[in-house]
Amino acid sequence: MKDLIEILSHFALVGEVIEIKPLGAGLINDSYKVTTTPPEAPDYVLQRINHTIFTDVEMLQNNFYRVTTHIRHKLEARGETDIDRKVLTLIPTKDHKLYYFDGENYWRVLLFIHHARSYDTVNPQYAYQAGRAFGDFQAMLADIPEELGETIPDFHNMEFRLQQLHEAVAADPAGRVGEVRPLLDAFEQRAHDMCRAERLHREGKLPKRICHCDTKVNNMMFDEQGRVLCVVDLDTVMPSYIFSDFGDFMRTAANTGEEDDRNLDRVNFDMEIFKAFTKGYLETARVFLTDVETDNLPYAATLFPYMQAVRFLTDYINGDTYYKINYPEHNLVRTRAQFKLLQSAEAAGPAMKAYIDECLGR
Ligand code: GN1
Ligand code: MG
């Protein structure tokens, strides 16, 4: 607490800090809620940036600043009110920098959004709203003037993720490859088809756009009336295929079980959530989407459970060096749950296509 206060003293805060407590359950950064006095003074979120994952903190924070400033201007132009709750606000340091480096760690401060909450599961009504919000997020960023950097190069590049898996298997540093052979075989069978996005991109048929790239359902804030306020967790906002945002939302929200469910019977692809999100997403995003993009939305819904399964399994084989784990086989349990979700999404492919055609009136 004392150290955190020292860190906060470098930022241009209003009010005096009276409480700092851990916030949220992200797998990557550490976050704290910072309460200040007097009560009218804003509260903040202090975050320690995981710079082993986001190695270029300068680029990360520049992207963050550009994206939030661009969205803020769009909201102002639309005449929106209460804008501080509808887009994240970075608080600079006293020497006008976007982060503070204490010699060991990188820190940033954001304005805390009051009376907002996120959910780990959503009903169709919320999914519809989230679809509209993520489509709108992409639409607002479609004309951002500067080129954004890739904060994690090849983040959602399926060919690259498979290559990482192959390297892990070849090295087998934790001696775990033997026990996961059947999973590896199942992943190999699908590898070619799952790399379709990279092929389409190379053929010039699929653009990269500014995407959120971590559209987990809990990265969306709702107000007390259940209306979407804003999208949070902007570290991975970067150029990608729109499949990233569509697919990762489905992966997390359209799963009837948990991301790390041990009971695979609970894990299934929920078509009601798919329909609700897709309807909202197409309403705000169809103005800029191409046919190749819309035709491949069912593929995106399978790509992300697959990619996440590959990433979890790679980390398991590497001896759990990337994701925070709660018990030794956690990454393997996560892998199996994502694989089950993939199989369920694959089975729903024709129904997904039919629904998209219906939405687009074709
Ligand atoms: C990580 O930290 P969190 O939970 O928002 C990861 C995502 C994964 C997700 C899996 C930078 O996100 O890509 O989909 O875990 N973020 C990074 O739960 O790797
Ligand atoms: Mg998150």
Side-chain angles (χ1 to χ4, degrees):
M1 169 94 178
K2 201 162 144 267
D3 293 350
L4 295 179
I5 289 202
E6 202 283 318
I7 286 154
L8 285 166
S9 73
H10 296 275
F11 289 88
L13 306 187
V14 177
E16 192 195 325
V17 175
I18 51 170
E19 189 185 50
I20 304 175
K21 55 178 189 194
L23 183 74
L27 300 189
I28 304 293
N29 296 318
D30 295 328
S31 303
Y32 303 88
K33 157 102 192 271
V34 178
T35 309
T36 66
T37 188
E40 322 74 81
D43 293 334
Y44 301 96
V45 176
L46 170 68
Q47 287 186 315
R48 188 176 67 85
I49 299 169
N50 186 328
H51 68 274
T52 54
I53 293 177
F54 298 100
T55 49
D56 190 341
V57 176
E58 192 73 34
M59 178 206 280
L60 176 76
Q61 291 301 90
N62 275 328
N63 275 6
F64 200 122
Y65 181 75
R66 286 177 186 154
V67 164
T68 50
T69 310
H70 191 76
I71 292 179
R72 176 173 291 270
H73 291 154
K74 291 264 156 141
L75 296 175
E76 282 166 4
R78 280 183 195 173
E80 295 264 359
T81 54
D82 204 12
I83 290 179
D84 282 350
R85 297 175 73 215
K86 294 181 182 162
V87 61
L88 292 178
T89 309
L90 269 178
I91 306 296
T93 61
K94 287 174 179 162
D95 54 359
H96 313 289
K97 290 188 63 186
L98 297 172
Y99 60 89
Y100 169 67
F101 180 58
D102 67 7
E104 196 178 335
N105 284 300
Y106 294 84
W107 301 86
R108 71 170 163 230
V109 172
L110 309 169
L111 214 51
F112 180 79
I113 300 178
H114 277 284
H115 310 299
R117 46 171 313 185
S118 65
Y119 301 89
D120 287 316
T121 55
V122 289
N123 61 25
Q125 173 56 27
Y126 281 16
Y128 167 73
Q129 292 233 23
R132 285 194 60 97
F134 279 120
D136 192 35
F137 181 84
Q138 290 178 340
M140 283 193 284
L141 293 174
D143 63 348
I144 192 164
E146 311 89 352
E147 208 168 289
L148 297 189
E150 287 198 21
T151 54
I152 301 180
D154 294 316
F155 189 49
H156 282 167
N157 178 337
M158 195 60 243
E159 290 173 350
F160 172 72
R161 294 301 181 184
L162 281 164
Q163 184 192 321
Q164 287 184 314
L165 176 64
H166 296 155
E167 284 165 10
V169 169
D172 196 12
R176 288 172 166 178
V177 167
E179 67 175 301
V180 300
R181 274 284 166 217
L183 276 168
L184 288 168
D185 293 344
F187 290 176
E188 273 333 301
Q189 276 171 19
R190 292 162 170 86
H192 179 79
D193 193 43
M194 288 294 169
C195 293
R196 188 190 304 169
E198 278 71 42
R199 286 194 300 276
L200 287 169
H201 182 65
R202 273 196 296 273
E203 292 162 9
K205 295 176 186 156
L206 178 66
K208 285 197 180 184
R209 305 180 188 275
I210 303 303
C211 297
H212 182 277
C213 295
D214 189 16
T215 47
K216 299 210 301 201
V217 49
N218 61 12
N219 280 336
M220 172 124 284
M221 305 297 280
F222 293 86
D223 72 7
E224 285 157 327
Q225 282 75 46
R227 288 176 302 223
V228 170
L229 280 171
C230 66
V231 170
V232 298
D233 210 349
L234 304 179
D235 296 323
T236 52
V237 175
M238 61 177 128
S240 189
Y241 314 123
I242 56 98
F243 305 154
S244 290
D245 292 357
F246 188 86
D248 224 17
F249 186 87
M250 293 307 171
R251 181 183 76 77
T252 53
N255 180 354
T256 54
E258 305 293 329
E259 182 179 70
D260 58 355
D261 221 311
R262 284 179 180 275
N263 180 354
L264 298 182
D265 292 336
R266 288 177 31 121
V267 176
N268 280 299
F269 189 75
D270 184 340
M271 271 307 283
E272 292 316 304
I273 298 293
F274 172 89
K275 287 182 179 173
F277 183 87
T278 301
K279 182 169 189 290
Y281 179 73
L282 289 174
E283 282 174 11
T284 47
R286 68 184 292 183
V287 285
F288 66 84
L289 293 177
T290 66
D291 286 349
V292 170
E293 288 172 319
T294 48
D295 289 349
N296 281 292
L297 293 177
Y299 154 72
T302 59
L303 174 61
F304 278 80
Y306 178 77
M307 188 183 307
Q308 196 61 58
V310 167
R311 292 177 64 193
F312 283 146
L313 187 62
T314 304
D315 199 36
Y316 182 69
I317 293 172
N318 282 334
D320 312 309
T321 58
Y322 190 88
Y323 293 108
K324 293 179 193 167
I325 54 165
N326 298 334
Y327 52 87
E329 71 284 12
H330 202 165
N331 273 317
L332 184 57
V333 169
R334 287 169 172 153
T335 305
R336 292 195 199 286
Q338 293 297 298
F339 183 57
K340 170 64 200 293
L341 181 65
L342 166 67
Q343 292 171 303
S344 179
E346 285 171 343
M352 290 193 238
K353 181 181 179 312
Y355 185 73
I356 290 165
D357 286 346
E358 187 186 319
C359 286
L360 298 175
R362 54 186 196 191

